Amino acid sequence: MTLQAIKYSRRKLEILDQLRLPHEEVYIDIKDTEDAWNAIKSMQVRGAPAIAIVAALSIAVQLAYIIDVEDGPPDEFIEETVETIDAHLEHLVTSRPTAVNLADAAAKLKTVVSTAANESDADPRTIMNAYIRAAERMLVDDVQDNERIGRHGAEWILQRKASNSLGSRVSIITHCNTGPYNQGARLTGYELIHDEIPATLITDSMAAALMRTKGQSENITAVIVGADRVAANGDTANKIGTYALAVLARYHGIKFLVAAPRTTVDMATKSGADIIIEERPEIEVVNIKGPTVPTNVSRDKEIRKGTTEEIYIAARNTRAWNPAFDVTPAELIDGIVTEQGVVGKDERGVFRWDKVFGTDVLEKVPEVGEPKKINMLPDGITPHESASTSVEASSSGQTPVTEIHSAFGKG
């Protein structure tokens, strides 16, 4: 059974509290936009697309309650209805400024509301129902988009994998960061175990050694990361540590992919230099939270629920810098996997967005120019041969995602 991060029905929204994972699987109610804002800000929900969906549905829950229980506002309150919905959307956008999906969803929903308000038979209830339908459609589309992204990414990787004794099976490295939020250990690892996908947890500092010593034996074919915002030139903001992993992948000759829906691509942002990077509290770096473990407890024994404690892992009064994201330059990215397919580069090294957006959209994109070339290696040094992925492998283009059998998840 697939792990659900979001459970929704009319007038009811629940999210999996990701701060309680992996030791407790607890769903919390999101009754209004303030609940959603707090859940997003505190990282009870993570992932740029999921953040946008939770924000959108939190308003839908409130509106459905007003329609079903309170019978809606008076018919003449059309302008007030539009202003109220817009204000809630604008407030939600402030919860995580780096994640572009949230702002994109808010802009689209504002358009839906405005269009509904201009209909000849408009009243507050028709406007609210138009919003609810649009927000619910976003949830359905998000699930379908995720499935398509997985399929396109798997096919791209298997077509480019190195040929060795492992046959069609390959390994990938993904990035979920060890600190300060330990998302790889707490969240991605939990999801992989839940879905019975073989995986090995490593810390951030182990990635280079892994690529060098196990690149060939484990057939490490690609690094795949997510994204919170992709600029028009391909520069990508993602959780802190992604940039370092891209540098290592380039040195070791391993393909580096970004997996993100089109809503994560911000064509109005020229480059990564224009992306606002959220900085989070110092305490997330110097403290750590988890359940207490009695002495002499075996690895497989259940941990008692309700025993969570927060402890210092640094000397008292230690200062810490805690950016939530970094920006990976486009020149270190080999492809961007979207629900429409994998976006590659032309002969100038510029990403070809027309594949997913069309030429009419691209005409409005700011001029980004050709990317600068980065020489990652000293003169005379070539990428590590054991991690080469230059050998092409034949593929029908219909290879199932399940053939990617192993993920080295950076904790």
Side-chain angles (χ1 to χ4, degrees), residues 1-3 150 170-172 174 187-201 401-409:
M1 180 172 152
T2 303
L3 185 65
V170 302
S171 296
I172 63 171
T174 188
L187 306 180
T188 306
Y190 178 80
E191 292 165 347
L192 291 168
I193 290 172
H194 182 279
D195 292 345
E196 299 181 346
I197 299 173
T200 301
L201 178 70
V401 177
T402 50
E403 287 196 39
I404 294 186
H405 79 290
S406 181
F408 289 92

Side-chain angles (χ1 to χ4, degrees), residues 33-71:
T33 52
E34 204 56 38
D35 284 348
W37 193 96
N38 289 327
I40 294 168
K41 187 67 175 179
S42 67
M43 297 182 71
Q44 287 176 293
V45 58
R46 68 154 184 165
I51 286 169
I53 299 301
V54 169
L57 291 176
S58 70
I59 298 178
V61 167
Q62 284 184 273
L63 297 180
Y65 182 86
I66 293 172
I67 294 171
D68 299 346
V69 179
E70 299 178 355
D71 199 29

Side-chain angles (χ1 to χ4, degrees), residues 22-23 292 294 297-305:
H23 309 296
T292 56
V297 172
S298 67
R299 176 177 175 177
D300 299 325
K301 186 175 179 179
E302 282 292 321
I303 295 175
R304 295 194 310 273
K305 295 181 179 179

Side-chain angles (χ1 to χ4, degrees), residues 23-310:
H23 309 296
E24 294 182 271
E25 191 173 310
V26 177
Y27 286 86
I28 58 175
D29 286 326
I30 303 295
K31 299 184 178 67
D32 53 34
T33 52
E34 204 56 38
D35 284 348
W37 193 96
N38 289 327
I40 294 168
K41 187 67 175 179
S42 67
M43 297 182 71
Q44 287 176 293
V45 58
R46 68 154 184 165
I51 286 169
I53 299 301
V54 169
L57 291 176
S58 70
I59 298 178
V61 167
Q62 284 184 273
L63 297 180
Y65 182 86
I66 293 172
I67 294 171
D68 299 346
V69 179
E70 299 178 355
D71 199 29
D75 289 350
E76 64 270 18
F77 276 42
I78 292 178
E79 185 176 345
E80 290 83 353
T81 300
V82 173
E83 291 175 352
T84 299
I85 294 174
D86 285 357
H88 280 295
L89 287 167
E90 290 168 6
H91 175 58
L92 286 163
V93 169
T94 66
S95 60
R96 296 300 298 276
T98 305
V100 70
N101 305 64
L102 180 51
D104 179 77
K108 289 176 178 175
L109 290 167
K110 282 184 179 183
T111 300
V112 168
V113 170
S114 176
T115 301
N118 288 322
E119 295 291 337
S120 59
D121 60 346
D123 63 40
R125 281 171 291 280
T126 62
I127 296 169
M128 291 177 179
N129 278 318
Y131 178 97
I132 292 169
R133 288 192 298 271
E136 291 174 344
R137 184 71 241 174
M138 285 182 174
L139 175 61
V140 173
D141 289 346
D142 181 62
V143 173
Q144 294 175 347
D145 289 348
N146 287 336
E147 292 173 348
R148 294 189 185 107
I149 289 169
R151 185 164 59 251
H152 292 313
E155 291 170 357
W156 193 95
I157 290 169
L158 291 170
Q159 289 169 2
R160 291 160 176 77
K161 70 180 181 65
S163 189
N164 63 18
S165 61
L166 293 178
S168 64
R169 292 163 54 183
V170 302
S171 296
I172 63 171
I173 298 174
T174 188
H175 175 61
C176 309
N177 88 292
T178 301
Y181 249 81
N182 299 310
Q183 290 175 320
R186 294 193 306 103
L187 306 180
T188 306
Y190 178 80
E191 292 165 347
L192 291 168
I193 290 172
H194 182 279
D195 292 345
E196 299 181 346
I197 299 173
T200 301
L201 178 70
I202 65 170
T203 64
D204 293 341
S205 55
M206 297 176 186
L210 175 68
M211 293 177 186
R212 185 173 183 84
T213 62
K214 294 183 179 291
Q216 186 173 27
S217 64
E218 295 293 340
N219 202 10
I220 299 176
T221 304
V223 175
I224 307 177
V225 302
D228 285 79
R229 186 181 298 251
V230 179
N233 72 336
D235 289 352
T236 296
N238 190 46
K239 60 178 59 67
I240 192 71
T242 303
Y243 180 21
L245 195 57
V247 171
L248 293 174
R250 177 58 57 91
Y251 180 85
H252 290 90
I254 297 174
K255 298 296 183 183
F256 189 91
L257 296 175
V258 171
R262 288 180 298 170
T263 53
T264 305
V265 182
D266 183 6
M267 303 307 281
T269 298
K270 184 176 180 180
S271 72
D274 301 314
I275 298 176
I276 298 172
I277 299 299
E278 175 189 0
E279 292 195 15
R280 297 187 61 81
E282 294 180 350
I283 196 171
E284 294 176 354
V285 177
V286 299
N287 287 12
I288 195 168
K289 184 185 297 184
T292 56
V293 180
T295 56
N296 301 320
V297 172
S298 67
R299 176 177 175 177
D300 299 325
K301 186 175 179 179
E302 282 292 321
I303 295 175
R304 295 194 310 273
K305 295 181 179 179
T307 60
T308 300
E309 292 186 7
E310 187 169 356

